Amino acid sequence: MESKRQEKISRLIQRDMGEIFTLESRNIFNNSMITVTKVNVSPDLSIAKVYLSLFATPDKDALLTSIKEHTKLLRGQLGQRIHLQLRVIPALHFYLDDSLDYIERIDNLLKD
């Protein structure tokens, strides 16, 4: 169970990472639509697990690899935005959130 502090930091990171991906998707990620669906922060606030939903891309794994390669740049931009709220910017770990794909697959199976 997350503490109130963890929840606040998670929401802060989710909002700011969403804005960063909106701005950077044009330049770095070939106009792919990247949505931050969930962020979990460790109790010591040193690690943030960022779950992403990827759209408008034929190869989601390649895009996720590209995002992981740009982690240092993304963490730096996040640090510029939230450095007044946090003393140490958490390390970012990106994961693919396939819950929307799972829901769509179940919906298609129910229709058939």
Side-chain angles (χ1 to χ4, degrees):
M1 184 171 167
E2 290 187 337
S3 67
K4 291 286 186 190
R5 176 83 173 147
Q6 285 175 283
E7 290 175 9
K8 287 181 182 180
I9 299 301
S10 294
R11 286 192 306 262
L12 176 70
I13 292 173
Q14 182 177 1
R15 184 191 70 219
D16 286 334
M17 285 304 299
E19 291 173 3
I20 290 169
F21 279 122
T22 300
L23 297 173
E24 292 301 320
S25 66
R26 287 183 231 126
N27 304 331
I28 300 173
F29 304 118
N30 298 328
N31 285 330
S32 297
M33 194 165 91
I34 302 169
T35 305
V36 180
T37 57
K38 184 178 179 183
V39 176
N40 288 335
V41 180
S42 64
D44 62 353
L45 305 178
S46 64
I47 298 172
K49 294 181 180 180
V50 182
Y51 293 90
L52 304 172
S53 187
L54 308 175
F55 302 103
T57 180
D59 190 5
K60 292 182 180 183
D61 293 328
L63 180 59
L64 185 62
T65 303
S66 176
I67 291 169
K68 288 180 180 179
E69 289 171 358
H70 290 91
T71 299
K72 187 175 180 179
L73 170 77
L74 296 168
R75 184 174 181 233
Q77 290 184 357
L78 179 66
Q80 289 176 355
R81 289 171 175 256
I82 66 172
H83 71 277
L84 297 176
Q85 287 92 358
L86 293 176
R87 187 180 319 159
V88 178
I89 306 305
L92 301 175
H93 296 270
F94 294 103
Y95 299 96
L96 186 62
D97 183 12
D98 59 353
S99 60
L100 294 177
D101 294 336
Y102 180 74
I103 291 170
E104 183 179 344
R105 191 172 344 124
I106 296 295
D107 192 36
N108 288 336
L109 288 173
L110 290 174
K111 285 180 182 177
D112 292 341

